[in-house]
Amino acid sequence: MSVLKSLESKIAGLVEGTFSRAFRSEVRPVEIARKLAREMEEHKSFSVSRTYVPNEYRVFLSPADRDRFSGYEDALAGELAGYLLEYARRERLAMLSRPVIEFETDGRLGLGEFGIQTRIVRPAEAPGQEAQAEESGRTMIYSSADRVAEPLEERARVRNETALLLVEGKRLVVGSAGATIGRSRQCDVVLSDPNVSRQHAEVRPRGGSWVVNDLGSTNGVSLNGRRIEGPQVVKPGDEIELGTSVMKFELE
């Protein structure tokens, strides 16, 4: 059984107990585990005979996701630490101590997004001596929606921009977490066009930019007259076509 499968089995065994409510969060424990392993691999330090990896990991969650994990963090941190320890052993990676997982809240993150910051902490060599920490990299933000990483600095900059959709003479503000577009009243931007699917497309921040993505609509999405395949970056002045409706993207 793989290390990740073993972790999945351990967490699955707790679903009927303390973890049952936590799984309703957009952020999944196994997804956090995958990205922790990725950050471990990204921040190796090489010596003559060993390859060292971070032994301290700070996981940043949105207020909503942190609230859902409230009360279960210690158990989850223990499982994640055990997973990283076993992963390091199998990959022959060295740690200066058992890995430590800490959770924190960051209001700049939206639901389903989480950040990871790593450090290599050298334990104190004598009683009363402070441990020495070495920053291993920037905080990276992951989205459970598209599994794409981006630096927190870029994510924060996009959050400070106001995106607009100009349609039918109206200026519609796109929230910092993005907006869904379609005929359904559950969408953030509702269109009455019968050629538009109930949940047709979405516009959201990604990688320091804004992107438009087709949500599996019947008639597709076009950007500046060209049909898109997968997420496409949109810039001020670009025209997005859904069904027979055309809207212009702007930034303020």
Side-chain angles (χ1 to χ4, degrees):
M1 180 181 292
S2 70
V3 183
L4 192 59
K5 286 295 184 182
S6 177
L7 176 67
E8 288 178 324
S9 297
K10 290 179 181 179
I11 294 178
L14 299 173
V15 170
E16 295 181 356
T18 59
F19 280 95
S20 59
R21 285 189 294 166
F23 273 98
R24 297 174 186 172
S25 169
E26 288 294 329
V27 173
R28 309 296 185 184
V30 172
E31 185 64 21
I32 294 177
R34 291 192 183 100
K35 300 312 181 189
L36 286 171
R38 171 174 172 168
E39 290 299 308
M40 175 188 286
E41 293 281 359
E42 291 288 330
H43 298 102
K44 297 175 181 176
S45 296
F46 301 94
S47 70
V48 176
S49 59
R50 292 187 175 185
T51 300
Y52 289 95
V53 291
N55 55 343
E56 184 173 296
Y57 298 79
R58 299 171 70 187
V59 179
F60 298 90
L61 299 169
S62 70
D65 278 314
R66 182 76 187 279
D67 182 65
R68 287 173 170 82
F69 283 122
S70 177
Y72 318 115
E73 289 182 3
D74 289 345
L76 178 57
E79 293 292 352
L80 292 173
Y83 163 71
L84 288 182
L85 189 61
E86 182 61 25
Y87 183 93
R89 286 173 177 168
R90 291 198 179 189
E91 297 299 320
R92 297 184 179 179
L93 302 172
M95 289 184 176
L96 294 176
S97 66
R98 181 180 174 82
V100 174
I101 313 294
E102 297 178 343
F103 291 94
E104 293 191 22
T105 302
D106 193 316
R108 293 172 293 182
L109 300 175
L111 186 68
E113 296 175 334
F114 61 97
I116 297 176
Q117 185 182 65
T118 66
R119 296 197 306 173
I120 294 179
V121 180
R122 301 180 182 277
E125 296 180 358
Q129 185 179 16
E130 292 185 0
Q132 296 181 345
E134 174 186 341
E135 294 291 341
S136 298
R138 296 177 298 178
T139 302
M140 296 301 294
I141 304 302
Y142 294 93
S143 168
S144 60
D146 57 12
R147 311 299 193 262
V148 174
E150 56 183 298
L152 180 59
E153 293 82 358
E154 294 182 6
R155 189 70 181 92
R157 178 179 62 79
V158 173
R159 289 282 185 189
N160 291 328
E161 296 176 337
T162 299
L164 301 172
L165 291 176
L166 281 57
V167 56
E168 299 176 352
K170 299 178 181 179
R171 290 163 53 88
L172 305 176
V173 176
V174 178
S176 60
T180 54
I181 309 168
R183 286 189 296 107
S184 171
R185 293 186 179 276
Q186 302 300 317
C187 291
D188 301 296
V189 177
V190 180
L191 300 176
S192 58
D193 186 347
N195 295 294
V196 171
S197 298
R198 289 182 58 78
Q199 290 190 340
H200 198 112
E202 65 178 353
V203 173
R204 56 182 169 77
R206 169 180 160 183
S209 303
W210 289 83
V211 299
V212 60
N213 189 32
D214 189 346
L215 296 178
S217 66
T218 301
N219 295 318
V221 177
S222 294
L223 180 62
N224 297 324
R226 292 187 176 182
R227 182 124 176 198
I228 67 172
E229 298 292 340
Q232 294 292 319
V233 173
V234 286
K235 300 177 181 179
D238 282 351
E239 291 189 341
I240 303 170
E241 182 178 346
L242 293 74
T244 57
S245 299
V246 179
M247 57 186 66
K248 181 176 290 187
F249 178 82
E250 296 289 354
L251 288 175
E252 283 189 348

